[in-house]
Amino acid sequence: MTPEIYLDANATCPVLPAAIDAALDALGPRFGNPSSSHAAGLRAKAILDEARACARRVIGAGDGRLMFTSGATEGIQTAVLSVLWSVRERQLAGQPCGRLLVYGATEHKAVPESLAHWNRLLGTNLELAVLPVDGEGRHRLDVLRELAPDAAMVCTMAANNETGTVSDLEGIARVLGETGSGAYWMVDCVQALGKLPLALASTRIDYAPFSGHKLCAPKGIGMLYVRAGAPFTPLVAGGGQEAGQRSGTENMAGIAAFGAVLKALEQGQVFRGHDALVESRDRVVQALREAFPGIVFNSPLEHALPTTINFSVPGLSSRDVLDVFDAAAIRVSAGSACSASKAQPSYVLQAMGLPLWRAASAVRLSFGPQADEAFIDAACERIRRCSQALRADPLVLAPSAHHGLLQVNAEGCAGWLVFDADEKSCVAIDIPAPMAARIASLAKARRYTVRAILGDAACSSALCSALAELGVPFHAGWPAATAEVALAGGLRAPAIRIGAQWLANADGGYLLGAVHGETLPRVEYAFIGASQAACECACADTILCRNADDDALGWSAIGAEAAFDEHEMHLAPAALEDFLQAHPDAVLVDVREASEHAAGPVTLHGRVAQSVPLSRMAEHAASWLREGDTPRVFLCRSGNRSAKAARQLRRFGFAQAWHVAGGVALAV
Ligand code: PLP
């Protein structure tokens, strides 16, 4: 198994071995409750006191409060509640308290959500005001100057989790001072710990939340600093732990582990300093530049944490890069971990005013300050390998071995390319508009001509424009000079020859089948657009290619509606070995894109998976079905695409289709 290169440290980090030891100590020998007065309790209390004392020194807490919390989200709630409760008291007493809750446009969602939540719950009815950022992601101090006099609270972050942009905290403090603002100031320090120097008590900052798992402690532990004299209201009341500031028996394993991380930070041996990290970052940047010519960096490196690199590559979506990186066992993300499943363009990059394509194709690569030279070398080497895999080109076909049919999907629409690899030409049918530029640049790079652009008018015009822009030869619509073929049943239709096949233009769709003289006796594929009815010439095993990427993958056949029990097609990763032993003829099929397969071919229990991307499955399905009973086990990254593949074959009544539930991630 390829060793993992984890480059998503801003989402979470592996736990430091010393932190694991400390947690085990707190779970084992020193398991006591720190509130107990007996020896077991005193031993636990020593852990707590030591961790807090170290934390105070590391962040320069001075005479401020420092309490352990479950993480930064809780710290943010506590800070917001504290400020809004004091606002409410002043409102009731008729005292001035400001009318705005100001927050940076690129804050973590925990900030605006908490402000809105507590403002509503406490009935304080302040106005939420977004503090915009400039093109580099830094707060607009000119706007802050206008808002500050009316602000009850100002929330900014020390460094952004998506771009690494480091805020100008001194500039913000200066504006708050110069405008005489009475606002309380919260600075989210989550991404700063271990990467930026902190001396909080010597600043104007009132609240600073932290989260342990962003610096090699476990998840579920964090801390909150509160400046001496700043309003404070406990979020959790109860047994009075944490000096009554945060009740509930302490998470001692988490605190012990966080304490060990803070100790390592203080001692300075595990975590590398700023200059060394900058040097590492520059090497990764160089590897990215070599791997992806045309790459753009989404935040200026000189204002960013040296451990965070956010970039976009023209022509590649975030998904393309992430999938190939993941296949090569490099873990990166498209933005924040919280929004990873939402597939929306990054709000952080949009707030910076970056063009939509950059916000929609951004990749965040982040490493921890503990990353050493060997790790950075391995990361650079693997990135270079990924760039080769990304060149695995879906337009390159095994000559004449296949029909050369590629499905091109986007935004719920499906389109089709029929190739003649020998002639380097293709026919495009219903290519979704968002894919037009991509297809055009692939065609240009491979020197293909597009002999006919067919199907939906809007799709056709997008592809024509993209091809024209790149100077790729093409013909819009059905070509003028065509032959005529006889279809089954005696009908005749105009047709063009594509390699060993005819593509006929028949009423109700375009029909593709093998050449037999001047006839097309068997229609293997019928491109029927949005039509639900198969055209007259389709036979029982004709693959009907539609233009919608629905649950049926955009293709089906007459009568491909077999009922089956979905549960039967799932193979648990743990059951795979037994299954393969019981089915020595089973074929493993990797349905990830060709580039993902190239980046990380899959071998499971000694059997090598063959690559048939979902986009090529329609082409292979007909022969698989003809071959009969060979069991096929589909796999992909997470189990989604492979489930679609197995479901599709089962609909055709093929009971020997399976997939590995949970994907390769769980199976290897
Ligand atoms: N603030 C920032 C900048 C973060 O990156 C995160 C985590 O992604 C949080 C707050 C919330 O931290 P947690 O989920 O650990 O409470």
Side-chain angles (χ1 to χ4, degrees):
M1 188 178 148
T2 318
E4 184 168 84
I5 304 272
Y6 186 82
L7 289 170
D8 199 13
N10 288 9
T12 198
C13 298
V15 179
L16 209 65
I20 296 176
D21 291 347
L24 289 175
D25 178 44
L27 292 168
R30 291 204 277 173
F31 69 92
N33 183 331
S35 298
S36 303
S37 55
H38 48 59
L42 293 176
R43 283 195 286 271
K45 186 159 182 306
I47 298 178
L48 188 58
D49 292 344
E50 216 180 296
R52 196 187 321 275
C54 184
R56 299 189 73 91
R57 290 192 300 274
V58 166
I59 65 166
D63 55 354
R65 301 169 189 256
L66 191 133
M67 69 213 70
F68 288 109
T69 61
S70 61
T73 303
E74 184 189 324
I76 292 166
Q77 307 299 308
T78 310
V80 169
L81 169 66
S82 297
V83 172
L84 286 182
W85 186 253
S86 100
V87 163
R88 192 183 133 89
E89 285 183 326
R90 278 178 286 152
Q91 282 176 336
L92 290 175
Q95 293 166 3
C97 55
R99 60 177 188 86
L100 298 178
L101 295 171
V102 177
Y103 66 95
T106 58
E107 289 296 303
H108 188 277
K109 287 290 173 208
V111 173
E113 292 297 323
S114 306
L115 289 170
H117 179 75
W118 291 105
N119 191 36
R120 191 173 58 246
L121 249 60
L122 297 175
T124 35
N125 293 321
L126 300 190
E127 191 186 319
L128 269 70
V130 180
L131 173 60
V133 295
D134 61 19
E136 302 190 335
R138 303 190 111 198
H139 301 99
R140 290 268 309 273
L141 297 185
D142 55 329
V143 179
L144 180 61
R145 197 169 284 281
E146 286 164 21
L147 298 175
D150 287 332
M153 185 174 196
V154 171
C155 304
T156 58
M157 58 202 332
N160 185 270
N161 45 310
E162 287 192 29
T163 57
T165 299
V166 176
S167 302
D168 177 8
L169 294 182
E170 280 178 18
I172 295 170
R174 199 172 50 247
V175 170
L176 294 178
E178 285 170 5
T179 54
S181 174
Y184 292 104
W185 185 20
M186 179 177 77
V187 176
D188 176 341
C189 286
V190 168
Q191 299 292 346
L193 188 66
K195 303 163 203 164
L196 294 175
L198 293 167
L200 293 175
S202 63
T203 70
R204 191 198 180 283
I205 297 168
D206 296 294
Y207 305 91
F210 296 86
S211 200
H213 70 108
K214 306 291 181 170
L215 189 73
C216 304
K219 284 159 262 303
I221 185 67
M223 60 186 179
L224 175 67
Y225 159 83
V226 182
R227 189 179 54 77
F232 181 78
T233 299
L235 176 69
V236 188
Q241 287 87 348
E242 292 287 278
Q245 301 169 128
R246 200 271 188 182
S247 287
T249 304
E250 295 83 348
N251 167 6
M252 288 307 297
I255 291 171
F258 199 8
V261 169
L262 293 163
K263 190 168 162 193
L265 193 56
E266 193 175 30
Q267 291 175 341
Q269 270 130 27
V270 175
F271 298 108
R272 297 164 75 218
H274 185 263
D275 292 350
L277 294 173
V278 167
E279 201 269 326
S280 292
R281 189 259 317 270
D282 290 348
R283 283 201 293 132
V284 177
V285 164
Q286 184 55 28
L288 287 167
R289 283 205 164 106
E290 285 164 23
F292 304 111
I295 188 172
V296 283
F297 294 95
N298 292 325
S299 57
L301 300 175
E302 65 276 16
H303 291 319
L305 293 173
T307 47
T308 305
I309 303 168
N310 191 307
F311 64 90
S312 300
V313 182
L316 292 179
S317 69
S318 312
R319 194 71 269 157
D320 294 329
V321 179
L322 257 58
D323 283 347
V324 170
F325 273 25
D326 205 41
I330 303 182
R331 315 300 176 211
V332 295
S333 69
S336 71
C338 317
S339 56
S341 54
K342 296 183 192 146
Q344 299 275 334
S346 154
Y347 71 89
V348 170
L349 300 183
Q350 284 181 299
M352 290 163 65
L354 296 191
L356 191 60
W357 80 264
R358 277 168 74 177
S361 61
V363 177
R364 175 185 72 182
L365 183 158
S366 51
F367 51 92
Q370 76 284 13
D372 61 15
E373 293 284 318
F375 175 84
I376 297 293
D377 283 345
C380 293
E381 197 276 318
R382 196 77 67 82
I383 288 168
R384 290 190 180 100
R385 201 189 323 152
C386 278
S387 85
Q388 283 155 19
L390 270 164
R391 291 186 200 122
D393 186 339
L395 298 194
V396 175
L397 301 170
S400 69
H402 296 302
H403 299 290
L405 185 60
L406 175 72
Q407 194 179 1
V408 183
N409 294 1
E411 296 177 1
C413 301
W416 302 87
L417 287 170
V418 186
F419 294 105
D420 180 346
D422 296 334
E423 290 282 320
K424 290 209 165 217
S425 71
C426 63
V427 170
I429 307 168
D430 287 329
I431 298 300
M435 295 304 288
R438 187 104 175 256
I439 296 301
S441 58
L442 274 172
K444 183 178 169 73
R446 296 284 143 211
R447 298 207 172 90
Y448 269 66
T449 55
V450 184
R451 286 175 62 194
I453 298 179
L454 308 172
D456 179 83
C459 294
S460 299
S461 85
L463 185 58
C464 291
S465 321
L467 292 166
E469 199 170 312
L470 295 185
V472 177
F474 69 92
H475 180 88
W478 186 257
T482 57
E484 216 183 44
V485 290
L487 304 171
L491 284 170
R492 296 192 69 78
I496 49 177
R497 209 176 152 138
I498 308 178
Q501 303 168 91
W502 286 118
L503 181 72
N505 183 353
D507 209 15
Y510 300 97
L511 312 174
L512 187 68
V515 166
H516 280 268
E518 298 301 300
T519 66
L520 198 169
R522 224 184 107 256
V523 176
E524 292 181 40
Y525 298 90
F527 302 92
I528 56 173
S531 158
Q532 286 306 311
C535 53
E536 272 176 37
C537 304
C539 46
D541 58 357
T542 299
I543 303 276
L544 305 174
C545 304
R546 300 186 200 282
N547 63 6
D549 174 24
D550 49 16
D551 182 45
L553 295 181
W555 51 274
S556 61
I558 302 166
E561 280 148 19
F564 63 94
D565 179 354
E566 172 107 17
H567 292 105
E568 284 177 7
M569 69 183 207
H570 299 305
L571 274 180
L576 189 59
E577 188 166 10
D578 286 349
F579 179 91
L580 292 177
Q581 261 169 21
H583 298 84
D585 56 338
V587 178
L588 292 182
V589 184
D590 178 359
V591 296
R592 299 172 305 164
E593 288 308 314
S595 50
E596 293 171 78
H597 182 81
V602 182
T603 302
L604 291 178
H605 307 292
R607 223 166 286 186
V608 181
Q610 59 167 247
S611 169
V612 179
L614 220 48
S615 51
R616 306 300 296 271
M617 193 173 156
E619 178 188 349
H620 290 254
S623 61
W624 288 346
L625 293 167
R626 274 197 298 277
E627 269 170 41
D629 273 349
T630 310
R632 285 199 162 74
V633 180
F634 296 99
L635 25 105
C636 68
R637 190 172 62 87
S638 69
N640 285 338
R641 287 173 283 180
S642 57
K644 281 185 173 183
R647 200 177 290 127
Q648 183 73 335
L649 284 198
R650 292 229 172 199
R651 275 199 193 107
F652 279 73
F654 184 75
Q656 296 290 351
W658 317 84
H659 92 115
V660 180
V664 179
L666 306 185
V668 290

